[in-house]
């Protein structure tokens, strides 16, 4: 269990990578960033990928390693909590770009725009002008989840570096280091549950580890699922087994229990989908069909069809898949 004084500091901050060497996974991408540091010549960058994989951390490490002692004056960081409409781009970013500051020989000031995909299009248009105008003194590093929300002219001015979800092994290694340092009691079932719920997101894994160890003396599978906001996989496995046997009524009865607990339909279908990927009772052919159906239903839900009826329709489809 964590000591009381430790609660205040989130593990994700305490264990945020300090240099690029600390960033776990995505080796090719991280190597590219290290090469940029070694050459001392940074292009404008877009780092894109799923949440909690180390994009923001990597960009910060990059800026720190590029500019060493000059970070305070030579790096401007704007994240999603800052207002980032066109005015901010015109004022804050432009002002910083025009400012004269000292940087190590051959390097430029760096502007970090975190969660750049949430910038309005007009702000991005203004940004594009500044990028071109001040290219000799300023470099941009954008981090985002969805590069299609970045306007084409900015994309074409940047080197794009892609991050993917972290593997269970990569998350496990880091979790074990943290567990040892923090002296947290965590058994194998707890670790597996953390990996299952994290689904490639290191931030989620660390936050869940912290939440569980704050609430319970030991991190076990049951405790993890009590803390995290996800339908318990045991009942989801029962539902999947019913579908596998074609027993719709029983599957629907069980899913209604979960539904009445307040889980939304996307959470339920996502958890079943995760189980489908590894379930040993399903044949590979069926697995493929199940996954295809699951994806179709998820798409429908994202389009707004998230009624209880859709959930039953999903189960009925799985039941009739042969
Ligand atoms: N690859 C990684 N190696 C080590 N720690 C990581 C990694 N990815 C995430 N973390 C941990 O998770 C925290 C959040 O990471 P970070 O903010 O870099 O994620 P992100 O990719 O920018 O996510 P988002 O897309 O949600 O902004 C970090 O402080 C760190 O503790
Ligand atoms: Mg980020």
């Amino acid at each position: 269990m964590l000591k009381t004084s430790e609660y205040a500091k989130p593990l994700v901050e305490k264990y945020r990578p300090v240099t690029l060497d600390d960033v776990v996974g995505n080796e090719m991408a991280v190597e590219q960033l290290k090469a940029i540091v070694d050459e001392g010549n940074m292009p404008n960058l877009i780092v894109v990928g799923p949440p909690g994989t180390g994009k923001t951390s990597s960009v910060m490490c990059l800026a720190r390693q590029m500019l060493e002692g000059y970070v305070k004056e030579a790096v401007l960081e704007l994240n999603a909590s800052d207002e980032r409409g066109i005015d901010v781009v015109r004022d804050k970013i432009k002002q910083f770009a025009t400012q004269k500051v000292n940087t190590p020989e051959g390097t430029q000031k760096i502007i970090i725009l975190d969660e750049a995909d949430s910038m309005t299009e007009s702000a991005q248009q203004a940004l594009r002008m500044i990028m071109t105008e001040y290219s000799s003194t300023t470099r941009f590093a954008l981090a985002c989840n969805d590069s299609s929300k970045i306007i084409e002219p900015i994309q074409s001015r940047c080197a794009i570096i892609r991050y993917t979800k972290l593997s269970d092994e990569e998350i496990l290694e880091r979790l074990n280091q943290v567990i040892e340092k923090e002296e947290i009691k965590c058994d194998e079932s707890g670790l597996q549950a953390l990996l299952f719920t994290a689904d490639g997101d290191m931030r989620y894994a660390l936050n869940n580890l912290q939440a569980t160890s704050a609430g319970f003396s030991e991190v076990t599978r049951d405790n993890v699922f009590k803390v995290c906001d996800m339908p318990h996989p045991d009942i989801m496995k029962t539902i999947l087994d019913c579908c596998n046997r074609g027993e719709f009524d029983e599957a629907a009865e069980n899913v209604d229990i979960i539904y009445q607990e307040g889980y939304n339909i996307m959470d339920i279908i996502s958890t079943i989908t995760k189980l489908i990927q590894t379930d040993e009772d399903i044949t590979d052919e069926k697995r493929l069909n199940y996954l295809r159906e699951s994806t179709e239903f998820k798409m429908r839900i994202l389009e707004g069809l998230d009624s209880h009826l859709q959930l039953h329709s999903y189960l009925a489809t799985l039941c009739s898949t042969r």
Side-chain angles (χ1 to χ4, degrees):
M1 192 147 163
L2 289 175
K3 294 158 228 135
T4 321
S5 57
E6 301 277 316
Y7 289 150
K9 185 143 197 185
L11 291 181
V12 281
E13 289 312 325
K14 195 167 168 188
Y15 294 93
R16 191 183 274 280
V18 179
T19 68
L20 287 169
D21 284 327
D22 303 329
V23 178
V24 177
N26 285 299
E27 273 146 31
M28 289 266 285
V30 176
E31 282 307 318
Q32 274 175 286
L33 296 178
K34 283 187 193 163
I36 291 173
V37 174
D38 290 342
E39 286 168 21
N41 183 11
M42 178 183 158
N44 291 318
L45 281 177
I46 297 178
V47 180
V48 54
T53 50
K55 301 178 301 297
T56 302
S57 310
S58 304
V59 169
M60 308 278 260
C61 292
L62 176 80
R64 222 174 291 134
Q65 286 171 252
M66 293 283 303
L67 299 178
E68 290 178 329
Y70 298 84
V71 173
K72 236 174 141 198
E73 315 88 73
V75 177
L76 172 70
E77 191 214 340
L78 293 175
N79 59 40
S81 55
D82 301 303
E83 177 61 53
R84 284 182 310 176
I86 186 158
D87 294 343
V88 173
V89 175
R90 284 215 191 101
D91 301 342
K92 238 181 169 171
I93 297 183
K94 186 156 184 184
Q95 192 195 9
F96 182 79
T98 45
Q99 219 169 308
K100 170 107 189 69
V101 291
N102 287 332
T103 55
E105 171 91 41
T107 61
Q108 295 85 11
K109 286 176 287 184
I110 299 176
I111 298 183
I112 297 176
L113 292 170
D114 204 4
E115 329 235 330
D117 41 7
S118 66
M119 287 176 85
T120 60
E121 188 173 335
S122 53
Q124 291 191 35
Q125 293 291 0
L127 183 65
R128 150 200 188 180
M129 307 291 184
I130 298 175
M131 264 184 176
T132 319
E133 203 168 326
Y134 298 94
S135 60
S136 59
T137 57
T138 311
R139 292 288 185 268
F140 287 81
L142 281 58
C144 64
N145 296 124
D146 182 357
S147 61
S148 69
K149 296 211 181 103
I150 308 284
I151 58 168
E152 200 57 48
I154 291 189
Q155 288 195 41
S156 70
R157 284 169 172 74
C158 294
I160 301 185
I161 295 189
R162 291 184 195 282
Y163 275 44
T164 55
K165 279 186 186 180
L166 301 175
S167 70
D168 282 356
E169 291 73 33
E170 285 157 356
I171 296 189
L172 184 64
E173 197 186 328
R174 187 75 165 177
L175 275 180
N176 275 327
Q177 289 167 359
V178 174
I179 286 168
E180 193 181 319
K181 284 226 177 81
E182 297 293 322
E183 297 173 20
I184 295 173
K185 260 181 91 178
C186 178
D187 70 7
E188 180 58 30
S189 74
L191 276 174
Q192 290 307 323
L194 289 171
L195 295 177
F196 181 83
T197 51
D199 194 23
D201 179 335
M202 182 78 87
R203 182 195 295 116
Y204 203 98
L206 289 173
N207 279 338
N208 255 341
L209 173 69
Q210 182 155 28
T212 313
S213 67
F216 300 92
S217 58
E218 190 173 357
V219 179
T220 62
R221 182 171 191 273
D222 278 344
N223 291 342
V224 170
F225 285 112
K226 271 182 209 152
V227 166
C228 83
D229 186 26
M230 183 185 267
H232 199 296
D234 285 353
I235 182 158
M236 305 315 272
K237 165 77 175 143
T238 310
I239 296 169
L240 185 57
D241 287 346
C242 294
C243 293
N244 198 14
R245 293 193 299 266
E247 296 164 358
F248 172 78
D249 287 344
E250 210 186 329
E253 217 169 274
N254 279 298
V255 97
D256 286 347
I257 299 175
I258 297 279
Y259 183 71
Q260 270 146 24
E261 280 174 12
Y263 290 106
N264 73 33
I265 295 174
M266 193 60 164
D267 283 347
I268 297 175
I269 298 187
S270 297
T271 312
I272 297 183
T273 312
K274 262 197 246 173
L275 284 177
I276 292 171
Q277 288 168 9
T278 51
D279 194 275
E280 286 167 1
D281 300 325
I282 306 177
T283 60
D284 281 345
E285 197 182 344
K286 211 169 187 181
R287 195 187 317 282
L288 224 77
N289 290 331
Y290 273 8
L291 289 174
R292 191 174 49 231
E293 293 298 346
S294 305
T295 313
E296 287 225 358
F297 272 89
K298 281 198 207 167
M299 253 168 62
R300 268 182 235 171
I301 292 167
L302 288 174
E303 282 166 4
L305 278 174
D306 60 348
S307 65
H308 179 245
L309 193 61
Q310 277 296 320
L311 188 57
H312 279 200
S313 166
Y314 172 64
L315 297 183
T317 307
L318 294 193
C319 285
S320 58
T321 303
R322 291 276 153 239

